Amino acid sequence: MENVHTEWSSLFSYRDKIHKRYSEIWDIPLVKKRSHLLKGMLRDGMTLLDIGAGMKGMKAEIANLGIRLTYKSMDVDRSNQHDFYDVGSISERFDAIIMFEVIEHMSLQEGLDLMKKLYSIMNEKGIIILSTPNIFNPGRYMRDATHKTFYAYDELCGLLNITGFNIKEVYRSYNDAIHRYFLKVYMLGWLFRFLGIDYAYSIFVVGEKA
């Protein structure tokens, strides 16, 4: 139990570390699509594990970016064919792991345990890219009753730090019709700041195995 308490107490110091880079949500750079992020982080020849892969849409999305890598999927849903149905059974090692809109469906302790497992199956200098709904956009987060844990960007970064990952990048994502994008980002940005509400849909964190 002492080790668990030490881990969670470390979360506060890691949050402070992230706040030195991004003192508030608005300091985090904005990207329109996750594909822009993937194109900058993934390389040909990598081995990649997709956690919570669902219908394996990411496999086609990555291929459409022209990136040629070895893709494997994991999901607890056995109605679709996957390489793995239980994270605990994975013994292979990977250069990259992606996990989009999954961690918020777990308790905080489950999220920590999962990050430890993923760290253990990553190659040296391997990268993890994960996303979670942006809690500064209340409508985005609250629309799904299966969400268990709210993660602010600093808490999500801290969770990765606890398990040994270095934080490479943090992004907010928002894409919309051009007129709405221009209105929210350039015309009404001051109003969103004043209200403490963000228009960005998700937070993306990129970690690297130390």
Side-chain angles (χ1 to χ4, degrees):
M1 288 297 293
E2 182 179 353
N3 185 48
V4 172
H5 292 155
T6 301
E7 288 174 334
W8 289 125
S9 65
S10 300
L11 181 63
F12 294 99
S13 63
Y14 286 128
R15 286 172 61 186
D16 290 341
K17 181 180 178 181
I18 293 300
H19 275 291
K20 291 179 181 178
R21 289 173 61 180
Y22 310 103
S23 61
E24 57 180 357
I25 190 73
W26 308 103
D27 295 328
I28 299 174
L30 193 67
V31 293
K32 283 189 175 183
K33 298 180 180 180
R34 68 185 178 192
S35 59
H36 299 161
L37 178 57
L38 294 173
K39 196 165 186 178
M41 295 293 173
L42 302 181
R43 305 183 308 276
D44 288 347
M46 277 184 159
T47 54
L48 178 141
L49 175 64
D50 184 2
I51 300 287
M55 301 289 289
K56 296 189 286 189
M58 287 306 307
K59 183 177 184 180
E61 185 173 330
I62 292 169
N64 289 338
L65 293 173
I67 303 170
R68 304 298 176 231
L69 48 69
T70 300
Y71 171 95
K72 293 200 173 182
S73 64
M74 178 272 156
D75 202 296
V76 296
D77 183 4
R78 293 180 177 270
S79 62
N80 293 300
Q81 185 175 355
H82 295 286
D83 298 287
F84 309 102
Y85 297 98
D86 174 22
V87 173
S89 67
I90 302 175
S91 58
E92 296 182 36
R93 301 179 73 86
F94 298 89
D95 300 312
I97 296 175
I98 57 174
M99 189 171 75
F100 298 144
E101 316 293 295
V102 172
I103 197 166
E104 65 277 2
H105 296 276
M106 305 175 179
S107 70
L108 198 56
Q109 186 63 51
E110 288 170 339
L112 175 61
D113 293 341
L114 176 60
M115 289 300 104
K116 288 179 180 179
K117 173 61 179 180
L118 298 185
Y119 187 90
S120 73
I121 61 172
M122 295 194 74
N123 290 324
E124 185 177 355
K125 298 298 181 181
I127 61 168
I128 183 169
I129 309 172
L130 69 157
S131 71
T132 193
N134 183 5
I135 67 169
F136 287 88
N137 185 333
R140 172 77 170 92
Y141 188 90
M142 298 303 294
R143 69 179 60 174
D144 191 336
T146 65
H147 290 168
K148 292 183 178 180
T149 306
F150 295 82
Y151 284 99
Y153 69 92
D154 55 346
E155 293 166 335
L156 189 58
C157 291
L159 192 68
L160 266 68
N161 278 146
I162 287 174
T163 49
F165 290 102
N166 291 326
I167 305 302
K168 289 178 63 68
E169 305 286 349
V170 184
Y171 295 95
R172 297 151 56 226
S173 70
Y174 172 63
N175 193 24
D176 209 337
I178 189 168
H179 64 285
R180 287 195 292 268
Y181 185 92
F182 183 85
L183 181 66
K184 290 182 179 180
V185 176
Y186 297 107
M187 299 293 292
L188 297 178
W190 66 271
L191 180 59
F192 282 98
R193 285 173 179 255
F194 176 77
L195 295 174
I197 298 173
D198 194 5
Y199 44 77
Y201 297 141
S202 298
I203 297 295
F204 282 81
V205 176
V206 181
E208 182 180 65
K209 184 169 183 176

